Amino acid sequence: DVKVTQSSRYLVKRTGEKVFLECVQDMDHENMFWYRQDPGLGLRLIYFSYDVKMKEKGDIPEGYSVSREKKERFSLILESASTNQTSMYLCASSFWGVEANQPQHFGDGTRLSIL
Amino acid sequence: AQSVSQHNHHVILSEAASLELGCNYSYGGTVNLFWYVQYPGQHLQLLLKYFSGDPLVKGIKGFEAEFIKSKFSFNLRKPSVQWSDTAEYFCAVNANNQGGKLIFGQGTELSVKP
């Protein structure tokens, strides 16, 4: 069974702090994704990565950066946390497929509160 | 820009009632379609998917969905819901020229009363 593990279920940080959210998958997936989930807005893609050291902006990358130094690990970084980044953050991974139809597997999420 | 629209924000049903959740997308090319479910306190998991072939797809737990290309729709159905179906349901679309990216709808919260 695919396992996507996010380092924290709950996290509380202060405005202006640099915040790191970590995600590890154990299925040798090429693709990894970071989303934020907000009520009434569904999931919105922040960043994704198709391979080590590769990253692509999603729909809402402002205020975030990512790092993928190893295939199994994908980190989301809030450079200077702000209250509007309070949200549930979801990590996902999938195989790369020629027709891009591989389903994504999700972690349990990190509920981040910025005070 | 591509978008996915789920028409119902919150649906409340009694057990044994039939369910249909609407999903429409805006993209004119070839698409892959997914429904995900998030049970309370759990991670999102795949309910069913459509890539090609028979437009009526069956998923886990008695769910099915029908792809109607002319209507750009992929509605989720279940003939008789159970209390354990209480969850949030997300429709998602991937276009074949967009790599592995998914565009998600806003989600529909389903509450089933025992």
Side-chain angles (χ1 to χ4, degrees):
Chain A
D1 220 14
V2 177
K3 187 71 175 173
V4 179
T5 304
Q6 295 184 229
S7 53
S8 305
R9 287 298 300 270
Y10 301 94
L11 206 54
V12 180
K13 296 291 182 180
R14 296 204 174 274
T15 305
E17 279 193 71
K18 191 169 186 175
V19 181
F20 293 85
L21 302 183
E22 306 287 345
C23 175
V24 176
Q25 50 94 3
D26 66 356
M27 281 301 292
D28 204 34
H29 285 165
E30 293 85 4
N31 300 337
M32 295 191 76
F33 307 84
W34 274 106
Y35 297 89
R36 62 178 284 176
Q37 181 181 7
D38 299 288
L41 297 178
L43 278 72
R44 292 179 293 165
L45 182 64
I46 304 171
Y47 266 98
F48 60 105
S49 168
Y50 290 134
D51 202 350
V52 175
K53 296 192 185 296
M54 294 184 66
K55 59 185 179 183
E56 300 263 355
K57 291 180 180 179
D59 299 316
I60 51 165
E62 296 79 18
Y64 303 95
S65 63
V66 290
S67 172
R68 193 160 180 206
E69 296 296 318
K70 294 185 178 181
K71 191 175 184 180
E72 68 271 19
R73 185 179 297 271
F74 193 36
S75 303
L76 179 69
I77 304 155
L78 285 66
E79 297 291 343
S80 177
S82 64
T83 54
N84 63 11
Q85 292 178 309
T86 290
S87 185
M88 171 70 88
Y89 289 87
L90 300 180
C91 176
S93 70
S94 70
F95 283 116
W96 179 85
V98 172
E99 294 186 339
N101 57 14
Q102 303 299 317
Q104 294 182 17
H105 300 266
F106 286 83
D108 288 335
T110 296
R111 188 165 293 282
L112 175 64
S113 297
I114 307 295
L115 305 179
Chain B
Q2 297 170 42
S3 66
V4 178
S5 179
Q6 292 181 238
H7 315 297
N8 311 102
H9 179 61
H10 192 186
V11 173
I12 303 172
L13 295 173
S14 297
E15 275 194 314
S18 64
L19 170 72
E20 181 160 3
L21 301 182
C23 173
N24 286 89
Y25 63 93
S26 65
Y27 182 70
T30 303
V31 292
N32 303 305
L33 300 158
F34 304 82
W35 275 98
Y36 282 84
V37 60
Q38 187 175 34
Y39 298 104
Q42 295 188 26
H43 61 268
L44 265 83
Q45 51 189 287
L46 183 68
L47 203 53
L48 49 77
K49 59 190 178 187
Y50 171 80
F51 297 149
S52 63
D54 188 346
L56 184 63
V57 292
K58 295 192 184 298
I60 60 172
K61 304 187 180 186
F63 285 91
E64 64 179 30
E66 185 175 14
F67 171 49
I68 303 180
K69 190 174 182 180
S70 60
K71 294 185 177 180
F72 298 90
S73 71
F74 189 55
N75 292 354
L76 181 70
R77 300 194 291 247
K78 185 171 183 178
S80 176
V81 294
Q82 301 173 322
W83 176 79
S84 58
D85 294 324
T86 294
E88 190 157 19
Y89 293 80
F90 294 93
C91 180
V93 173
N94 160 263
N96 264 338
N97 67 351
Q98 294 284 307
K101 284 177 58 175
L102 288 178
I103 308 294
F104 282 85
Q106 305 93 322
T108 297
E109 187 178 344
L110 172 65
S111 299
V112 180
K113 297 184 293 184

